[in-house]
Amino acid sequence: MGFPGTWMTESESLVYRVVPKCACSTIGQIMFHSDHGTFFDGDIHDAKEGLHKWAQDHSQPRIEEVVKSRAAPTFTCVRNPYTRVLSSFFDKICGVQRNGNRYRGNLVPGLIQKYGVDVGGDDGTAEFDQIRSFRRFLLFVRDTIRFRKPMDPDIHWSAMSGHISTFIVNGGRYDRIIWTERFNDGMRDVLDHADLRHPIDLTAIPRFNESEGHGPKRLHPVEDYFDDLSMHLMREIYDKDFRLFGYDFDDPSNKMPVRDIDLAEVHAKLGD
């Protein structure tokens, strides 16, 4: 199976396992800049050169060799499950994508018909009950993850532990797992342990939030979207993410991690 979702600098100075909705655009641009001294012109996910990606056949032998020999610092990045699934909703479900279409074609019409999800009309600009609509979407997320119906789970809302585990199961090992909520501190630690061609000033790096502006603005505090039933669904879906990556399940208003990540535990629990 190899190492799907893995990116590596061309200089082989850094290896990164992508986790969608966890600062991946910014991290990819930092990696690109560390090799080339400039940012990629466009969405880094579209880059076909300047960065090794597992999805590119020519990159796979190099990534596999570096990962298995542990020749470069290897890391990933996680995010509070409450804010991550909300971001997926507003970006992928409510938003019109860069190509001018809805995400995954008939996904949104199906959600409207089968789950009663409202997305603000054809262009996402009409007013709608965000809280009610999100809670219905969360039921759909649970169905995709627990029952793989009416479709397999999408990478943007499937559990972070699932993404992160494939790398471990196939022979990789993480040196660091950083938090989106403490991004500069974590990324600084990653970069300090890498041999970079070009230095990175994290205070001057813009945030490359490629999903920003796709969907309507979130109108309410995070905690307003999660009632008792929603929290029950969140535990059912993301319990392992909360426990392994140090987030507070009991308080959706607290996006910050509340305990350290134990790398040994992550490798033991996700390496089965």
Side-chain angles (χ1 to χ4, degrees), residues 8-15 35 52 61-63 65-66 71-73 195 197:
M8 181 176 73
T9 52
E10 286 188 332
S11 64
E12 302 179 3
S13 60
L14 277 174
V15 176
D35 261 2
H52 282 303
R62 297 307 312 148
I63 290 174
E65 181 176 336
V66 171
D195 184 15
R197 289 176 175 171

Side-chain angles (χ1 to χ4, degrees), residues 131-148:
I131 292 173
R132 176 178 177 274
S133 189
F134 168 74
R135 290 174 181 172
R136 289 172 176 245
F137 165 70
L138 192 59
L139 184 62
F140 162 75
V141 169
R142 191 280 305 270
D143 290 348
T144 66
I145 290 174
R146 285 298 303 275
F147 309 117
R148 309 191 83 83

Side-chain angles (χ1 to χ4, degrees), residues 5-18 24 26-38 44 47-54 56 58-67 71-75 167 187 190-191 193-200:
T6 300
W7 294 354
M8 181 176 73
T9 52
E10 286 188 332
S11 64
E12 302 179 3
S13 60
L14 277 174
V15 176
Y16 162 56
R17 204 309 179 187
V18 177
C24 49
T26 298
I27 292 171
Q29 288 282 11
I30 287 172
M31 293 171 69
F32 189 95
H33 194 286
S34 75
D35 261 2
H36 306 290
T38 186
I44 193 65
K48 296 291 192 294
E49 55 185 30
L51 190 67
H52 282 303
K53 297 178 178 179
W54 187 260
Q56 301 166 169
H58 70 274
S59 294
Q60 292 183 5
R62 297 307 312 148
I63 290 174
E64 186 155 14
E65 181 176 336
V66 171
V67 169
T74 300
F75 74 103
F167 188 83
M187 200 68 216
V190 169
L191 297 175
H193 289 84
D195 184 15
L196 306 179
R197 289 176 175 171
H198 298 274
I200 300 290

Side-chain angles (χ1 to χ4, degrees), residues 22-154:
C22 298
C24 49
S25 296
T26 298
I27 292 171
Q29 288 282 11
I30 287 172
M31 293 171 69
F32 189 95
H33 194 286
S34 75
D35 261 2
H36 306 290
T38 186
F39 295 117
F40 176 72
D41 185 14
D43 186 337
I44 193 65
H45 293 83
D46 296 335
K48 296 291 192 294
E49 55 185 30
L51 190 67
H52 282 303
K53 297 178 178 179
W54 187 260
Q56 301 166 169
D57 290 343
H58 70 274
S59 294
Q60 292 183 5
R62 297 307 312 148
I63 290 174
E64 186 155 14
E65 181 176 336
V66 171
V67 169
K68 291 193 171 178
S69 65
R70 303 200 64 195
T74 300
F75 74 103
T76 191
C77 183
V78 294
R79 180 180 184 181
N80 185 295
Y82 286 116
T83 58
R84 181 171 176 261
V85 73
L86 271 172
S87 177
S88 296
F89 172 67
F90 283 106
D91 170 21
K92 298 302 177 187
I93 304 305
C94 300
V96 176
Q97 305 306 296
R98 285 179 296 133
N99 60 10
N101 299 321
R102 289 287 185 181
Y103 183 59
R104 295 184 63 155
N106 62 359
L107 170 63
V108 172
L111 276 173
I112 293 171
Q113 180 181 16
K114 295 177 182 177
Y115 287 83
V117 171
D118 194 343
V119 296
D122 291 340
D123 59 1
T125 60
E127 290 188 11
F128 67 102
D129 187 332
Q130 293 186 354
I131 292 173
R132 176 178 177 274
S133 189
F134 168 74
R135 290 174 181 172
R136 289 172 176 245
F137 165 70
L138 192 59
L139 184 62
F140 162 75
V141 169
R142 191 280 305 270
D143 290 348
T144 66
I145 290 174
R146 285 298 303 275
F147 309 117
R148 309 191 83 83
K149 292 180 179 180
M151 57 176 275
D152 285 348
D154 185 89

